[in-house]
Amino acid sequence: MNGKILTMQDVSCMGQCSMTVALPILSHFGIETVILPTAILSNHTMFKTWSYLDLTPELPNIFKGWEDNGFTFDGFLLGYLGKKEIMDAAKECFSKFSSKNAPVIIDPAFGDMGKLYGGFDEAYVESMRGLIKSADIIIPNLTEVCFLAGCEYKEIYDKEYLEACIKKLSALTGAKIIVTGVEFGDGLIGEAVYEDGKIDYTFEKKLDMRSHGTGDIFAAVFAAYYFSGHTLVDACRKAGQFVAVCINNTEKEHSYGVRFEKALAPIE
């Protein structure tokens, strides 16, 4: 696509996640990528300790600079935000800097395996319920679907349960919904894609490795294909295939992320 995409999420200096995967992946796909870092961490939070610099106080100055220069963006990709105040800033950003019909993609990024990530609570979930009303596409996992929609989380489930939860979430937002990490116990894992009242699925073989950052990689690759004109289902399929390659390229000792760099085409 010709245009600029803004990605808004944290920067973990060490670790393959959030901004440090979104920026190189979107750029690799030929998309001019503008960043809005919400915080700087020494490393992501799967490590024993970390530092955290909140950039919320700087956002008004960044917005002022953008306004003064007349910047607008042709699409948005939001990942881990971490604070209600950043969600308020995101809404302001959409209002001030969207070019005509600029799509908003939001990965809620607040929980997994039936639990909220550390530091999050129901108040944060409630704020996210408000933010996704501004989205064109949301990319939650099942845990996030359940918290947002008020469904009981089930580790083992069937299509009937999943689709009921998706439709309940759909009533809270006009966004198209992509549920990641969907599996029905048949050795496959993939996405449920809800668009215009219809649910489609795309699956890959489930690999015997659970890694950090794969959701961020999926969202970035999905956004790259979607912003380049692919359908939701096709963009999901390609993103899922990309993540599978990344996992296959990663040795098990490399526990803090996946080697996505090897999946990008080398420079000739």
Side-chain angles (χ1 to χ4, degrees), residues 35-198:
I35 64 170
L36 184 58
T38 58
I40 298 177
L41 287 77
S42 58
N43 44 270
H44 65 64
T45 57
M46 75 142 288
F47 293 96
K48 184 169 63 173
T49 62
W50 59 88
S51 70
Y52 178 92
L53 175 63
D54 181 9
L55 296 182
T56 307
E58 185 61 22
L59 297 185
N61 297 328
I62 294 173
F63 289 173
K64 177 67 164 55
W66 289 352
E67 284 186 286
D68 290 347
N69 287 289
F71 297 157
T72 59
F73 308 112
D74 304 293
F76 299 85
L77 172 62
L78 277 66
Y80 184 97
L81 300 178
K83 291 179 64 179
K84 176 185 181 299
E85 292 81 1
I86 297 173
M87 290 190 237
D88 295 336
K91 294 175 188 176
E92 180 183 356
C93 190
F94 303 152
S95 174
K96 289 182 175 178
F97 305 112
S98 293
S99 63
K100 185 177 180 181
N101 299 321
V104 174
I105 301 175
I106 298 176
D107 176 358
F110 61 70
D112 200 4
M113 305 295 289
K115 298 179 180 179
L116 297 175
Y117 296 143
F120 290 136
D121 56 19
E122 179 54 42
Y124 186 86
V125 175
E126 182 60 32
S127 295
M128 184 60 73
R129 288 190 190 105
L131 182 61
I132 61 174
K133 292 178 182 178
S134 300
D136 295 280
I137 301 169
I138 59 174
I139 313 178
N141 59 34
L142 180 59
T143 295
E144 292 154 352
V145 170
C146 290
F147 272 99
L148 290 168
C151 296
E152 178 188 358
Y153 175 79
K154 295 183 180 181
E155 187 173 345
I156 300 173
Y157 53 88
D158 56 18
K159 282 188 177 181
E160 182 180 8
Y161 160 83
L162 177 64
E163 294 183 4
C165 291
I166 291 172
K167 289 174 182 177
K168 192 172 180 181
L169 177 57
S170 178
L172 303 177
T173 171
K176 299 166 185 177
I177 300 170
I178 297 167
V179 184
T180 59
V182 171
E183 51 185 314
F184 298 116
D186 55 0
L188 302 176
I189 188 167
E191 297 75 46
V193 182
Y194 181 81
E195 182 178 15
D196 299 328
K198 180 184 175 185

Side-chain angles (χ1 to χ4, degrees), residues 220-231:
V221 177
F222 166 81
Y225 279 108
Y226 180 75
F227 287 137
S228 300
H230 290 256
T231 66

